[in-house]
Amino acid sequence: MSKELKFVLLLDCYGDLLTDKQRETMELYYCDDLSLAEISEPRGITRQAVRDGIKRSEQILLEMEEKLGFAKRLSEMKECFDEIKEISENISDCEIADKLNKSVEKGLSLLY
C-alpha cells in the first residue's frame, strides 16, 4: 500500500481524533493533493510549518493505528468480502449467488 493511500485510510479511521486544523491540513495534503505551498499560502504560514504539522498528525495517526489496529482490520475485512464475492461469481445457483452478493455489498457498505 502506498504511503499516501495508507494515510488516507488512517485519516478515514482516526481523523476525528485530530484537531480540526490538523485534519483539514491532512485532507488538503493527502486527499486533495495540494502542495505545502498551496496549503501554507492562504494561511499565512511557512511551508515548513505545514510540513511539521503534517508530520505530527501522521505520527498521531500511526500511534492510533498501532494501539487500535482498526485500519488493518478494515483492510482485512474488505479482502475477505472481495474473496467471497469472487467465489460467489462461480456459484451456479443464481438465487444463492444473488443473496451472497447482496450480503457482501451490504457488508462492504458498512465498512466505509
Side-chain angles (χ1 to χ4, degrees):
M1 178 184 303
S2 74
K3 181 179 179 179
E4 290 79 17
L5 186 57
K6 179 180 181 174
F7 281 110
V8 169
L9 180 59
L10 292 176
L11 194 55
D12 282 344
C13 292
Y14 307 113
D16 288 341
L17 300 174
L18 298 173
T19 66
D20 290 342
K21 188 175 182 179
Q22 288 172 321
R23 186 176 59 251
E24 180 184 335
T25 301
M26 292 290 284
E27 287 173 351
L28 291 171
Y29 187 72
Y30 282 108
C31 301
D32 297 342
D33 199 29
L34 296 183
S35 69
L36 298 176
E38 291 170 318
I39 297 169
S40 66
E41 196 172 295
R43 294 179 175 178
I45 58 175
T46 65
R47 291 186 322 234
Q48 185 64 42
V50 172
R51 183 185 177 286
D52 291 346
I54 289 170
K55 292 299 175 188
R56 277 193 301 276
S57 298
E58 288 175 349
Q59 190 59 39
I60 291 168
L61 295 175
L62 289 170
E63 287 173 7
M64 285 294 135
E65 177 59 15
E66 186 178 314
K67 291 177 184 175
L68 302 173
F70 186 63
K72 181 181 178 195
R73 287 191 305 244
L74 281 176
S75 293
E76 290 171 352
M77 288 172 67
K78 185 183 179 318
E79 286 176 19
C80 288
F81 280 126
D82 289 344
E83 287 176 25
I84 293 169
K85 188 170 186 168
E86 186 177 319
I87 291 168
S88 75
E89 291 171 359
N90 296 320
I91 295 175
S92 59
D93 185 327
C94 291
E95 185 178 338
I96 292 173
D98 238 16
K99 288 180 181 179
L100 195 53
N101 278 328
K102 285 179 183 176
S103 293
V104 167
E105 291 303 319
K106 181 179 179 182
L108 285 171
S109 72
L110 293 172
L111 288 178
Y112 303 103

